[in-house]
Amino acid sequence: MCLSDFNYSDTRFADIQMLRYRLDGFEELTLSQKKLIYYLSEATLFGRDITFDQFGRYNLKIRKLLEAIYTSEEVEHGTEQFEALETYLKRVWFSNGIYHHYGCDKFKPGFTPGYLRNVIMALPSCALPLTDGQTREQLCDELFPVIFDPELMPMRVNKSDGDDLVVTSACNYYEGVTQKEVEDFYQMLKDRAGTHPVSFGLNSKLIKRDGLISEQVWSVDGMYGNAIKRIIECLSKAAGVAENAHQRDVILTLIDYYRTGDLRVFDDYSIRWVGEQEGRVDFINGFIEVYGDPLGLKGSWEGIVEYKDMVATRRTRIISENAQWFEDHSPVDPRFRKKEVKGVTANVVCAAMLGGDEYPSTAIGINLPNADWIRAEFGSKSVTIGNLTDAYNKAARGNGFKEEFVVNKNTIALIERYGDLCDDLHTDLHECLGHGSGQLLPGVDSDALKAYGNTIEEARADLFGLYYIADRKLVELGLLPDEDAYKSHYYTYMLNGLMTQLVRIVPGARIEEAHMRNRALIAHWCMENGTAVRIVSHEGKRYVDITDYIQLRELFARLLAEVQRIKSEGDFSAARELVEKYAVEVDQELHAEVTERYRRLDIAPYKGFINPVLKPVTDNEGNIVDIMPDYTESYEHQMLRYSSDYATLI
């Protein structure tokens, strides 16, 4: 594929549009760097089945069943029932299971139980995921309630206040335990810990059997051992072509962690990973983010391989080099500021491979590690993934969104002039400074906010970025061209938080996902506590109107101060009140209007990515002499190939 003719947009199905991303500058890397990326990419792809299993205990079996039907010559293709099954399968691939990747509600199949039963009976037994002498009828009895009963295991992650969040969530992190039992189990471990506690529960499933509660640790000799063994094999090859000794040590320490499952080794790995700054290639691989656990303890498996964009990184380097200035001038209580900001680094990178919980839907910015004490003592790394944001921006051009939802032509012109620049800059500020800012007071448990912790943390990082994107310091540093640029992002942020993100949830539902709750919290709080923002009607349509940008920044400052206080003091009651009041409920009439306006534009609310295929080129002796990216693989072929070539658990 010629990059000058690169087509960012690809497949459409359900509420999803698939995109492609380019590996700009890949051809300029050394052979050793390309090989490093290739081996790390293989390690990234071998974790896929782990994520499927974590997101629901029946996901892998359902996926294998649907793939067998989809590829079978015994099943008639092209019928209405088959096409409904095909769409369902594509959604399962996209979400790593039968639950929506964002809303966490269970998919409603468009095919009937009778159709599914008939095609199961038509397939040979060897094609079906039958276990332990299971018959076809028993397979149907096992899976049909999970697929078709909307009341059975309806939510992957339930965060409804007052519910037992463990019992009512379908994620596969717990078995036979209640929320109280989980909280008591890990609180007991924390009470025994010292000043540098590990992330208890991060890499294990908690199970109660015969009245006893125990952890099944995810390690090479434990749960997910076969997948982890393959990941280690690829990481070992990557270590052999590392760019420097420090980078090799990082990879070997990660291997040690996978072998032992010891969370102290994971902390050691995280510290070493933060300290490795010289290599151009970097990666994330492991049980990292806790958003898929209603209690915010268990890490979903994810992987990303990336390399630095040396030109664009100038922007993030300026930010990180001035991190102490931003911390010192933050509008929060001085008690909650860091006296000394350590080890804050930020880069703009090109993603080379996405996997696990970062595929096909992925973040555009990342800040790690998550442990507060490591951030305080050793710092953090932040990345903005430039080639992904570029793909999003190019795919969105000319789709009519701004003309439909933005209040007037002057605001549209503002967004067209500054929007992409400010979106990237806010991501930088969010990841590099927001997550890395502030400190807990002595003795405060980093998990004190429990189910509300993820939302509060994302709000804290967003507010930090929103406050500073309007600061003249950014113009002085050459990051923004003038003091009006920030207004474009203020508008699009408030529009998203108040209105347009509603298209991402089903009618009648509440907001569940942490990032969506964060944006709703900020937008609704600001509208209620000031006069800077309002919703106006024109010709039967509603629009967001910002009447006072200066006041809006002051509101962001006030809310940032309160959110940081909540985080620093571990004020669970205040976190609960803030989230439940501003971040959860939905104006159903407004939701219906936004959804209809989106429908008329024919815009998919969600985007995801098809990975490039990294193809080794070998000489006559079988030695790799180059790695060539191929951008032509279809979504369907990629998913089936991954299920075949990288199957580890079923």
Side-chain angles (χ1 to χ4, degrees):
M1 178 181 289
C2 177
L3 292 188
S4 61
D5 299 324
F6 193 90
N7 181 19
Y8 287 90
S9 181
D10 201 89
T11 306
R12 282 281 301 269
F13 57 91
D15 55 355
I16 293 162
Q17 179 182 10
M18 299 304 300
L19 307 177
R20 298 184 186 274
Y21 59 95
R22 300 195 321 186
L23 305 194
D24 292 316
F26 185 83
E27 67 282 357
E28 300 170 2
L29 300 175
T30 67
L31 176 59
S32 183
Q33 288 171 329
K34 291 178 181 178
K35 290 168 68 175
L36 176 60
I37 288 173
Y38 173 72
Y39 293 133
L40 290 173
S41 295
E42 290 291 285
T44 294
L45 298 177
F46 271 116
R48 179 174 182 248
D49 279 1
I50 297 177
T51 308
F52 266 89
D53 190 70
Q54 288 180 318
F55 285 7
R57 62 184 296 187
Y58 298 99
N59 283 338
L60 284 169
K61 204 165 189 177
I62 291 172
R63 188 192 80 194
K64 187 169 184 178
L65 170 64
L66 296 174
E67 289 173 345
I69 296 169
Y70 181 68
T71 58
S72 172
E73 295 181 356
E74 285 85 3
V75 177
E76 182 181 1
H77 293 212
T79 68
E80 182 178 348
Q81 290 281 313
F82 181 85
E83 289 180 354
L85 183 142
E86 180 180 14
T87 298
Y88 185 85
L89 173 58
K90 289 178 179 179
R91 299 185 78 182
V92 169
W93 283 333
F94 189 89
S95 296
N96 294 296
I98 64 173
Y99 299 92
H100 196 282
H101 73 288
Y102 220 70
C104 293
D105 49 302
K106 188 161 68 174
F107 296 136
K108 182 179 179 180
F111 52 91
T112 65
Y115 171 77
L116 185 58
R117 184 179 298 274
N118 288 338
V119 294
I120 288 174
M121 297 305 166
L123 293 181
S125 297
C126 60
L128 298 172
L130 302 172
T131 54
D132 301 325
Q134 193 177 42
T135 67
R136 288 180 174 84
E137 286 292 345
Q138 289 171 333
L139 178 67
C140 294
D141 291 343
E142 178 188 17
L143 297 184
F144 277 36
V146 182
I147 295 172
F148 293 105
D149 185 351
E151 303 300 321
L152 178 65
M153 305 169 68
M155 295 287 293
R156 177 167 65 88
V157 182
N158 175 36
K159 293 188 177 181
S160 297
D161 189 33
D163 289 353
D164 185 311
L165 304 185
V166 169
V167 173
T168 58
S169 294
C171 54
N172 194 23
Y173 296 126
Y174 306 101
E175 185 178 321
V177 290
T178 65
Q179 179 177 345
K180 185 177 186 307
E181 287 174 326
V182 175
E183 291 173 345
D184 289 347
F185 181 88
Y186 287 113
Q187 188 59 53
M188 178 182 64
L189 296 180
K190 291 177 183 178
D191 289 342
R192 300 172 182 172
T195 56
H196 292 158
V198 299
S199 300
F200 290 110
L202 185 70
N203 66 334
S204 66
K205 181 177 181 178
L206 195 65
I207 297 177
K208 183 178 181 180
R209 289 178 181 163
D210 300 323
L212 298 177
I213 298 176
S214 62
E215 289 185 300
Q216 286 190 347
V217 176
W218 305 326
S219 66
V220 73
D221 294 321
M223 190 174 179
Y224 302 141
N226 193 50
I228 292 172
K229 178 182 177 182
R230 300 304 304 272
I231 293 170
I232 288 176
E233 290 173 357
C234 299
L235 291 175
S236 297
K237 293 178 181 178
V241 290
E243 296 175 89
N244 55 65
H246 192 160
Q247 190 182 69
R248 182 180 304 110
D249 187 46
V250 169
I251 298 171
L252 293 176
T253 306
L254 177 59
I255 291 173
D256 189 27
Y257 164 58
Y258 272 134
R259 285 177 174 153
T260 64
D262 188 338
L263 287 169
R264 291 169 297 182
V265 179
F266 177 69
D267 284 346
D268 185 25
Y269 156 74
S270 298
I271 292 167
R272 294 169 188 258
W273 177 79
V274 167
E276 203 293 291
Q277 303 291 338
E278 298 304 316
R280 186 169 181 185
V281 177
D282 207 349
F283 71 102
I284 295 166
N285 187 296
F287 308 104
I288 309 293
E289 299 293 356
V290 296
Y291 296 98
D293 175 7
L295 302 186
L297 297 172
K298 306 294 179 181
S300 59
W301 193 92
E302 67 181 56
I304 295 181
V305 185
E306 65 204 34
Y307 56 97
K308 294 175 187 174
D309 181 329
M310 305 307 291
V311 175
T313 288
R314 173 187 171 276
R315 181 183 74 233
T316 53
R317 289 289 173 87
I318 292 173
I319 292 172
S320 60
E321 289 167 359
N322 287 274
Q324 191 67 58
W325 184 92
F326 289 104
E327 184 77 1
D328 293 344
H329 292 82
S330 171
V332 307
D333 189 312
R335 293 180 302 146
F336 309 142
R337 298 179 194 153
K338 288 180 178 176
K339 302 299 184 294
E340 182 182 359
V341 178
K342 297 180 180 179
V344 174
T345 60
N347 296 290
V348 178
V349 301
C350 285
M353 193 62 64
L354 308 172
D357 198 11
E358 292 292 345
Y359 169 82
S361 177
T362 187
I364 57 172
I366 298 170
N367 177 272
L368 291 172
N370 288 324
D372 286 294
W373 71 267
I374 296 180
R375 290 173 180 273
E377 295 187 23
F378 298 95
S380 63
K381 277 186 188 176
S382 299
V383 297
T384 299
I385 310 178
N387 59 338
L388 300 189
T389 57
D390 183 58
Y392 280 129
N393 294 338
K394 287 184 168 61
R397 287 176 183 166
N399 65 7
F401 173 86
K402 291 190 289 291
E403 291 75 12
E404 176 62 34
F405 286 102
V406 177
V407 66
N408 55 49
K409 292 182 179 179
N410 289 337
T411 307
I412 291 175
L414 190 73
I415 294 168
E416 289 179 343
R417 182 177 181 185
Y418 301 114
D420 290 354
L421 171 63
C422 287
D423 286 350
D424 288 346
L425 186 56
H426 183 255
T427 300
D428 297 338
L429 293 168
H430 172 110
E431 299 295 348
C432 178
L433 301 181
H435 282 308
S437 68
Q439 63 180 354
L440 301 179
L441 293 183
V444 172
D445 184 353
S446 60
D447 295 322
L449 303 183
K450 300 181 181 179
Y452 300 103
N454 292 335
T455 298
I456 291 297
E457 176 58 24
E458 291 303 323
R460 193 177 71 90
D462 258 4
L463 286 163
F464 201 96
L466 288 167
Y467 176 74
Y468 275 117
I469 201 170
D471 200 291
R472 66 184 61 183
K473 181 73 170 179
L474 298 189
V475 179
E476 294 174 6
L477 292 173
L479 297 172
L480 287 178
D482 56 57
E483 294 184 18
D484 285 329
Y486 77 92
K487 295 176 182 177
S488 68
H489 192 72
Y490 273 24
Y491 187 86
T492 54
Y493 190 94
M494 296 300 290
L495 174 63
N496 193 24
L498 291 170
M499 286 182 58
T500 53
Q501 74 169 1
L502 295 178
V503 75
R504 294 185 164 194
I505 58 177
V506 298
R510 307 188 331 155
I511 300 175
E512 298 286 350
E513 200 276 333
H515 295 81
M516 285 184 67
R517 283 187 167 192
N518 142 52
R519 292 187 288 266
L521 187 162
I522 292 171
H524 286 99
W525 186 95
C526 288
M527 192 163 71
E528 181 176 302
N529 287 274
T531 59
V533 184
R534 61 181 181 172
I535 293 181
V536 298
S537 295
H538 179 65
E539 296 183 351
K541 296 179 181 179
R542 279 177 275 192
Y543 300 88
V544 170
D545 185 28
I546 298 179
T547 59
D548 191 334
Y549 284 92
I550 294 175
Q551 183 196 125
L552 183 55
R553 188 188 187 218
E554 294 169 351
L555 290 167
F556 289 147
R558 284 173 51 195
L559 184 55
L560 173 58
E562 172 60 7
V563 167
Q564 182 63 63
R565 182 199 67 78
I566 290 171
K567 169 86 173 182
S568 295
E569 295 181 350
D571 189 342
F572 173 81
S573 296
R576 177 182 180 181
E577 180 179 355
L578 200 60
V579 173
E580 293 295 336
K581 182 175 181 180
Y582 295 105
V584 176
E585 300 301 330
V586 174
D587 180 332
Q588 296 301 328
E589 184 179 333
L590 179 61
H591 182 206
E593 177 189 326
V594 170
T595 302
E596 176 59 20
R597 290 162 71 178
Y598 254 90
R599 186 193 65 78
R600 292 174 183 172
L601 290 173
D602 192 30
I603 299 175
Y606 299 99
K607 308 290 192 295
F609 290 97
I610 300 171
N611 281 324
V613 182
L614 298 182
K615 295 185 174 181
V617 179
T618 58
D619 60 17
N620 293 334
E621 284 74 40
N623 301 309
I624 295 176
V625 295
D626 201 358
I627 305 291
M628 298 295 294
D630 184 331
Y631 303 100
T632 61
E633 187 171 40
S634 70
Y635 174 68
E636 296 82 2
H637 185 273
Q638 183 159 108
M639 289 297 178
L640 290 171
R641 181 172 65 87
Y642 285 0
S643 293
S644 173
D645 295 356
Y646 300 98
T648 55
L649 301 181
I650 191 170

PDB file of all heavy atoms in Angstrom, residues 458-469:
ATOM      1  N   GLU A 458      -9.486  10.354  36.864  1.00  0.00           N
ATOM      2  CA  GLU A 458      -9.572  10.886  35.503  1.00  0.00           C
ATOM      3  C   GLU A 458     -10.046  12.339  35.516  1.00  0.00           C
ATOM      4  O   GLU A 458      -9.576  13.159  34.711  1.00  0.00           O
ATOM      5  CB  GLU A 458     -10.506  10.025  34.649  1.00  0.00           C
ATOM      6  CG  GLU A 458      -9.958   8.640  34.339  1.00  0.00           C
ATOM      7  CD  GLU A 458      -8.616   8.686  33.635  1.00  0.00           C
ATOM      8  OE1 GLU A 458      -8.401   9.590  32.795  1.00  0.00           O
ATOM      9  OE2 GLU A 458      -7.769   7.826  33.926  1.00  0.00           O
ATOM     10  N   ALA A 459     -10.964  12.675  36.408  1.00  0.00           N
ATOM     11  CA  ALA A 459     -11.410  14.062  36.522  1.00  0.00           C
ATOM     12  C   ALA A 459     -10.267  14.964  36.964  1.00  0.00           C
ATOM     13  O   ALA A 459     -10.104  16.085  36.466  1.00  0.00           O
ATOM     14  CB  ALA A 459     -12.583  14.162  37.500  1.00  0.00           C
ATOM     15  N   ARG A 460      -9.479  14.476  37.892  1.00  0.00           N
ATOM     16  CA  ARG A 460      -8.332  15.251  38.382  1.00  0.00           C
ATOM     17  C   ARG A 460      -7.357  15.560  37.249  1.00  0.00           C
ATOM     18  O   ARG A 460      -6.910  16.716  37.080  1.00  0.00           O
ATOM     19  CB  ARG A 460      -7.628  14.459  39.489  1.00  0.00           C
ATOM     20  CG  ARG A 460      -6.615  15.226  40.308  1.00  0.00           C
ATOM     21  CD  ARG A 460      -6.068  14.329  41.417  1.00  0.00           C
ATOM     22  NE  ARG A 460      -5.212  13.305  40.874  1.00  0.00           N
ATOM     23  CZ  ARG A 460      -3.895  13.432  40.703  1.00  0.00           C
ATOM     24  NH1 ARG A 460      -3.295  14.575  41.030  1.00  0.00           N
ATOM     25  NH2 ARG A 460      -3.173  12.457  40.220  1.00  0.00           N
ATOM     26  N   ALA A 461      -7.039  14.558  36.438  1.00  0.00           N
ATOM     27  CA  ALA A 461      -6.099  14.762  35.342  1.00  0.00           C
ATOM     28  C   ALA A 461      -6.689  15.660  34.263  1.00  0.00           C
ATOM     29  O   ALA A 461      -6.000  16.534  33.715  1.00  0.00           O
ATOM     30  CB  ALA A 461      -5.694  13.413  34.747  1.00  0.00           C
ATOM     31  N   ASP A 462      -7.972  15.474  33.949  1.00  0.00           N
ATOM     32  CA  ASP A 462      -8.617  16.332  32.951  1.00  0.00           C
ATOM     33  C   ASP A 462      -8.666  17.782  33.417  1.00  0.00           C
ATOM     34  O   ASP A 462      -8.406  18.708  32.637  1.00  0.00           O
ATOM     35  CB  ASP A 462     -10.036  15.837  32.662  1.00  0.00           C
ATOM     36  CG  ASP A 462     -10.134  15.069  31.355  1.00  0.00           C
ATOM     37  OD1 ASP A 462      -9.087  14.860  30.714  1.00  0.00           O
ATOM     38  OD2 ASP A 462     -11.247  14.671  30.975  1.00  0.00           O
ATOM     39  N   LEU A 463      -9.027  17.996  34.673  1.00  0.00           N
ATOM     40  CA  LEU A 463      -9.129  19.360  35.200  1.00  0.00           C
ATOM     41  C   LEU A 463      -7.777  20.056  35.215  1.00  0.00           C
ATOM     42  O   LEU A 463      -7.684  21.263  34.938  1.00  0.00           O
ATOM     43  CB  LEU A 463      -9.731  19.333  36.603  1.00  0.00           C
ATOM     44  CG  LEU A 463     -11.233  19.058  36.665  1.00  0.00           C
ATOM     45  CD1 LEU A 463     -11.645  18.631  38.070  1.00  0.00           C
ATOM     46  CD2 LEU A 463     -12.029  20.290  36.214  1.00  0.00           C
ATOM     47  N   PHE A 464      -6.732  19.321  35.532  1.00  0.00           N
ATOM     48  CA  PHE A 464      -5.395  19.897  35.505  1.00  0.00           C
ATOM     49  C   PHE A 464      -5.076  20.394  34.093  1.00  0.00           C
ATOM     50  O   PHE A 464      -4.591  21.512  33.898  1.00  0.00           O
ATOM     51  CB  PHE A 464      -4.374  18.846  35.945  1.00  0.00           C
ATOM     52  CG  PHE A 464      -3.066  19.416  36.429  1.00  0.00           C
ATOM     53  CD1 PHE A 464      -2.831  19.609  37.774  1.00  0.00           C
ATOM     54  CD2 PHE A 464      -2.058  19.750  35.529  1.00  0.00           C
ATOM     55  CE1 PHE A 464      -1.622  20.122  38.229  1.00  0.00           C
ATOM     56  CE2 PHE A 464      -0.852  20.264  35.958  1.00  0.00           C
ATOM     57  CZ  PHE A 464      -0.634  20.457  37.321  1.00  0.00           C
ATOM     58  N   GLY A 465      -5.375  19.560  33.105  1.00  0.00           N
ATOM     59  CA  GLY A 465      -5.135  19.954  31.726  1.00  0.00           C
ATOM     60  C   GLY A 465      -6.018  21.104  31.281  1.00  0.00           C
ATOM     61  O   GLY A 465      -5.566  22.021  30.577  1.00  0.00           O
ATOM     62  N   LEU A 466      -7.284  21.097  31.672  1.00  0.00           N
ATOM     63  CA  LEU A 466      -8.208  22.174  31.297  1.00  0.00           C
ATOM     64  C   LEU A 466      -7.790  23.499  31.911  1.00  0.00           C
ATOM     65  O   LEU A 466      -7.868  24.560  31.270  1.00  0.00           O
ATOM     66  CB  LEU A 466      -9.632  21.812  31.742  1.00  0.00           C
ATOM     67  CG  LEU A 466     -10.308  20.700  30.940  1.00  0.00           C
ATOM     68  CD1 LEU A 466     -11.555  20.205  31.664  1.00  0.00           C
ATOM     69  CD2 LEU A 466     -10.661  21.176  29.537  1.00  0.00           C
ATOM     70  N   TYR A 467      -7.355  23.464  33.151  1.00  0.00           N
ATOM     71  CA  TYR A 467      -6.928  24.698  33.812  1.00  0.00           C
ATOM     72  C   TYR A 467      -5.707  25.290  33.113  1.00  0.00           C
ATOM     73  O   TYR A 467      -5.653  26.497  32.818  1.00  0.00           O
ATOM     74  CB  TYR A 467      -6.620  24.426  35.281  1.00  0.00           C
ATOM     75  CG  TYR A 467      -6.085  25.630  36.013  1.00  0.00           C
ATOM     76  CD1 TYR A 467      -6.921  26.683  36.373  1.00  0.00           C
ATOM     77  CD2 TYR A 467      -4.731  25.731  36.333  1.00  0.00           C
ATOM     78  CE1 TYR A 467      -6.431  27.803  37.041  1.00  0.00           C
ATOM     79  CE2 TYR A 467      -4.230  26.841  36.999  1.00  0.00           C
ATOM     80  CZ  TYR A 467      -5.082  27.865  37.343  1.00  0.00           C
ATOM     81  OH  TYR A 467      -4.570  28.976  37.997  1.00  0.00           O
ATOM     82  N   TYR A 468      -4.734  24.453  32.801  1.00  0.00           N
ATOM     83  CA  TYR A 468      -3.468  24.976  32.278  1.00  0.00           C
ATOM     84  C   TYR A 468      -3.476  25.235  30.777  1.00  0.00           C
ATOM     85  O   TYR A 468      -2.648  26.018  30.290  1.00  0.00           O
ATOM     86  CB  TYR A 468      -2.319  24.048  32.652  1.00  0.00           C
ATOM     87  CG  TYR A 468      -1.767  24.347  34.026  1.00  0.00           C
ATOM     88  CD1 TYR A 468      -1.833  23.404  35.038  1.00  0.00           C
ATOM     89  CD2 TYR A 468      -1.207  25.591  34.305  1.00  0.00           C
ATOM     90  CE1 TYR A 468      -1.340  23.688  36.306  1.00  0.00           C
ATOM     91  CE2 TYR A 468      -0.713  25.880  35.566  1.00  0.00           C
ATOM     92  CZ  TYR A 468      -0.785  24.934  36.557  1.00  0.00           C
ATOM     93  OH  TYR A 468      -0.302  25.224  37.823  1.00  0.00           O
ATOM     94  N   ILE A 469      -4.394  24.623  30.036  1.00  0.00           N
ATOM     95  CA  ILE A 469      -4.390  24.885  28.593  1.00  0.00           C
ATOM     96  C   ILE A 469      -4.772  26.333  28.305  1.00  0.00           C
ATOM     97  O   ILE A 469      -4.479  26.865  27.229  1.00  0.00           O
ATOM     98  CB  ILE A 469      -5.324  23.907  27.848  1.00  0.00           C
ATOM     99  CG1 ILE A 469      -4.937  23.825  26.375  1.00  0.00           C
ATOM    100  CG2 ILE A 469      -6.789  24.280  28.009  1.00  0.00           C
ATOM    101  CD1 ILE A 469      -5.635  22.723  25.608  1.00  0.00           C
TER     102      ILE A 469
END
